[in-house]
Amino acid sequence: MSKKDQSDKPSESKVNPLMEKIVSLAKRRGFIFQSSEIYGGINSIYDYGPLGVELKNNVKKEWWKAMVQMRNNVEGLDSGILMHPKIWEASGHLAGFTDPLVDCKKCKRRFRADHLLEAKGLKPDFRPASFSEEGIDCPECGGELTNVRDFNLMFKTFMGALEESSAEIYLRPETAQGIYVNFPNVLNSSRQKLPFGIAQIGKAFRNEITPGNFTFRMREFEQMEMQFFVNPKEADKWFEYWQEQRLNWYLDLGVNKDKLKFRKHASDELAHYAKAAMDVEYDFPFDQRELEGIHNRGEWDLSRHQKFSGKDLQYQDQENKEKFTPYIIETSGGVDRCTLMFLLNAYTEVDTRSGDEDAKHETEVVLKLDKRLAPIKVAILPLSKKLEKDAMPLYEEIRKSYMCQYDDAGSIGKRYRRQDEIGTPYCVTFDFDSVEDKKVTVRDRDTMAQERIAISELKDYLTEKFC
Ligand code: GAP
């Protein structure tokens, strides 16, 4: 986590027009909802609706395919959210995963001390005896601020029947630690040799002080992380390799190249575990921000777990008889942040006047998602409700292979627009001729080109399009 990622610049509180459109589309079409909405909502927790869960699953599926399925040297894992509390002592999270906070004594609002100090041109880690003496008061009401206290971002709970300190455990703030502590298990059961990686997708929890920008920064979110164990001598090479691989993954899925950037962390910005870090940043509407971090974590993790567990986590190289603590190169991305980015990247407004300047100005929204990510792959649209008997068997057949919608309500133009707005790559129109000639019209979302295809060939046609 870079400090930049944590910043709560004033721009966050202003509503951005594109973000507003995405939030509205997400709710209207069932991608993302505010959690617990009927109770007034709960801050920075979101639920994925019928289309959102498909999109998010597809993001995870593509990541898993690229990081595990297509590689001989990366294994998958699904570890527990709750783990032995000593893990967080060893990882440094108990002592170091904190934000410096101050409270306003008058209005009781809470602020990040480092941000208030930075805004005054002071060093973010400066600890003034009194904020008033530095001329810093509550930015909201001008009230007096308390002294700084370190606030741990981990959510704490209790395991078992007793709510006492010996029963305290934490919801994991990153999936990575579940991988490190399983390093010997995976090594011994998978017949892997160094270099090799372990990948995991799962929930993480952080009691963020300044959540915001919709699903960009949440308190409950999902991560997709891969930890690559290497000989220390080869760490720099693999650090470079994984930067390239991760950038290519985004480009292959259609992310606008001009909006993606690498940003190297300055030495005073590095997380406690990192020797070097590179962020893949995306030009979000509110700012250019971290999408994913690629870190050289050195031997920090395994050496710490070795020390705290008392277990030997070194690697014995059978060929040159070398024994060493592997270095770890990590790729760490957020599923929700990535899903939001794909929505923003795909959002396109098209002027539907098509050259007729006198026509009523109307904009249509097309979600130009890569086909692999689109929540609904195919829509079956019978021209009339009367065609249900003939069109329904086609729908039943296609849905065996693809997420598919059947829609016979409203004009065909309206139905196309509905599908464009959710990013459906292919609409299949079943008309009155289809009953006789056994053909349907397939419309391409992006080119709007229409092709007449024999029903018997539709499956092969779609296989070719989606392969
Ligand atoms: N294991 C290293 C690690 O967790 P991080 O930079 O703190 O590094 C990695 O987090 C990624 O997880 C970020 O790049 C971001 O995509 C995602 N992430 C982190 N905190 C998040 C939050 N509060 N809400 C949504 N996504 C978050």
Side-chain angles (χ1 to χ4, degrees):
M1 166 177 46
S2 75
K3 285 182 185 140
K4 187 162 184 260
D5 175 57
Q6 286 293 296
S7 80
D8 53 350
K9 293 179 185 167
S11 62
E12 286 208 356
S13 52
K14 288 193 201 121
V15 184
N16 175 282
L18 177 56
M19 284 301 285
E20 238 179 12
K21 286 177 186 172
I22 291 291
V23 173
S24 154
L25 173 75
K27 172 152 196 208
R28 189 161 33 84
R29 299 309 312 270
F31 283 94
I32 303 169
F33 308 126
Q34 171 69 62
S35 162
S36 319
E37 199 182 296
I38 61 166
Y39 287 94
I42 176 165
N43 196 2
S44 69
I45 316 275
Y46 290 92
D47 298 339
Y48 286 80
L51 296 181
V53 66
E54 294 299 331
L55 174 60
K56 191 173 160 196
N57 280 344
N58 291 340
V59 170
K60 292 191 273 187
K61 202 154 78 189
E62 286 309 314
W63 186 88
W64 196 262
K65 185 172 178 188
M67 299 298 282
V68 181
Q69 189 181 329
M70 299 303 289
R71 295 179 193 272
N72 295 330
N73 58 359
V74 179
E75 303 287 341
L77 180 76
D78 184 12
S79 70
I81 286 171
L82 301 174
M83 293 190 280
H84 197 290
K86 261 215 141 59
I87 287 174
W88 307 113
E89 229 178 288
S91 70
H93 282 83
L94 215 46
F97 198 54
T98 55
D99 275 347
L101 286 192
V102 287
D103 294 293
C104 172
K105 291 182 184 169
K106 199 168 144 201
C107 72
K108 309 292 178 210
R109 282 196 178 85
R110 188 162 283 178
F111 304 94
R112 288 272 302 267
D114 48 339
H115 296 161
L116 297 181
L117 291 163
E118 264 182 324
K120 267 275 173 189
L122 297 164
K123 282 205 158 161
D125 53 359
F126 173 53
R127 295 294 162 104
S130 145
F131 273 78
S132 306
E133 279 167 31
E134 299 298 331
I136 305 174
D137 295 316
C138 171
E140 294 292 334
C141 76
E144 195 188 336
L145 297 170
T146 61
N147 281 343
V148 181
R149 64 192 172 87
D150 284 320
F151 174 80
N152 197 297
L153 300 184
M154 284 197 292
F155 280 97
K156 199 191 282 183
T157 186
F158 299 93
M159 189 141 122
L162 293 176
E163 291 198 3
E164 57 187 25
S165 59
S166 63
E168 277 174 8
I169 54 167
Y170 300 90
L171 303 190
R172 66 181 177 200
E174 61 172 12
T175 59
Q177 299 302 324
I179 294 181
Y180 307 142
V181 298
N182 275 297
F183 170 67
N185 284 337
V186 178
L187 179 68
N188 296 333
S189 60
S190 67
R191 297 166 63 224
Q192 287 284 359
K193 290 193 185 101
L194 254 56
F196 85 98
I198 305 176
Q200 157 154 253
I201 299 176
K203 289 264 184 174
F205 303 82
R206 296 182 188 180
N207 201 356
E208 302 277 8
I209 304 311
T210 54
N213 282 322
F214 199 33
T215 52
F216 179 83
R217 188 152 62 242
M218 304 150 83
R219 292 198 168 108
E220 173 181 343
F221 57 100
E222 254 182 300
Q223 287 188 313
M224 29 194 194
E225 296 197 302
M226 192 280 307
Q227 314 293 329
F228 203 68
F229 300 85
V230 301
N231 186 317
K233 289 177 204 148
E234 297 185 342
D236 291 344
K237 182 183 90 183
W238 287 110
F239 183 47
E240 295 288 321
Y241 170 84
W242 282 110
Q243 286 172 42
E244 191 194 343
Q245 293 291 302
R246 294 306 304 142
L247 184 68
N248 287 343
W249 184 77
Y250 291 107
L251 295 175
D252 179 55
L253 285 168
V255 179
N256 182 346
K257 196 169 190 258
D258 299 335
K259 296 212 166 209
L260 283 174
K261 300 225 164 46
F262 274 131
R263 194 181 66 83
K264 194 171 186 257
H265 285 207
S267 55
D268 66 344
E269 199 191 346
L270 291 171
H272 61 271
Y273 52 74
K275 275 184 132 45
M278 190 71 92
D279 284 346
V280 181
E281 292 191 338
Y282 182 78
D283 193 4
F284 284 93
F286 39 89
D287 203 356
Q288 188 179 306
R289 289 292 183 85
E290 173 185 341
L291 195 54
E292 165 162 355
I294 297 145
H295 311 126
N296 176 353
R297 301 181 63 124
E299 62 171 23
W300 165 265
D301 304 284
L302 289 184
S303 63
R304 294 281 291 185
H305 286 303
Q306 181 159 280
K307 184 173 160 202
F308 280 73
S309 69
K311 296 282 182 315
D312 182 5
L313 299 178
Q314 287 197 318
Y315 179 77
Q316 176 70 60
D317 194 317
Q318 297 301 340
E319 269 152 49
N320 58 18
K321 306 293 173 213
E322 227 186 324
K323 194 170 178 184
F324 55 87
T325 304
Y327 271 27
I328 291 167
I329 308 299
E330 164 184 69
T331 72
S332 174
V335 181
D336 311 86
R337 196 173 286 188
C338 187
T339 302
L340 172 63
M341 180 278 294
F342 278 121
L343 279 173
L344 288 161
N345 187 69
Y347 185 90
T348 316
E349 286 180 353
V350 181
D351 191 335
T352 53
R353 279 179 302 182
S354 55
D356 179 358
E357 289 302 316
D358 296 330
K360 202 167 121 251
H361 179 80
E362 261 185 50
T363 51
E364 185 197 335
V365 171
V366 184
L367 220 44
K368 296 199 170 181
L369 288 165
D370 183 279
K371 287 175 209 165
R372 291 164 287 182
L373 300 180
I376 303 297
K377 308 292 188 206
V378 183
I380 307 288
L381 312 175
L383 216 49
S384 153
K385 284 190 194 298
K386 290 181 194 144
L387 290 165
E388 182 179 342
K389 186 172 71 59
D390 300 284
M392 192 52 87
L394 180 61
Y395 168 62
E396 292 297 351
E397 188 55 33
I398 300 299
R399 72 190 300 191
K400 286 180 194 160
S401 311
Y402 301 100
M403 278 306 293
C404 197
Q405 272 189 359
Y406 183 92
D407 185 7
D408 60 5
S411 75
I412 192 72
K414 253 198 193 132
R415 282 184 270 164
Y416 282 153
R417 274 204 288 282
R418 277 206 289 266
Q419 294 300 331
D420 286 347
E421 201 183 32
I422 62 169
T424 307
Y426 297 104
C427 286
V428 175
T429 312
F430 196 103
D431 56 30
F432 287 98
D433 288 342
S434 305
V435 181
E436 300 305 320
D437 67 4
K438 307 278 182 249
K439 287 182 176 171
V440 285
T441 303
V442 182
R443 172 185 178 270
D444 182 295
R445 175 197 71 196
D446 297 331
T447 63
M448 292 202 281
Q450 305 202 0
E451 271 185 271
R452 197 81 181 152
I453 306 283
I455 292 174
S456 60
E457 285 167 19
L458 185 62
K459 266 192 127 168
D460 286 347
Y461 175 89
L462 291 172
T463 306
E464 201 178 299
K465 294 284 184 192
F466 282 106
C467 70

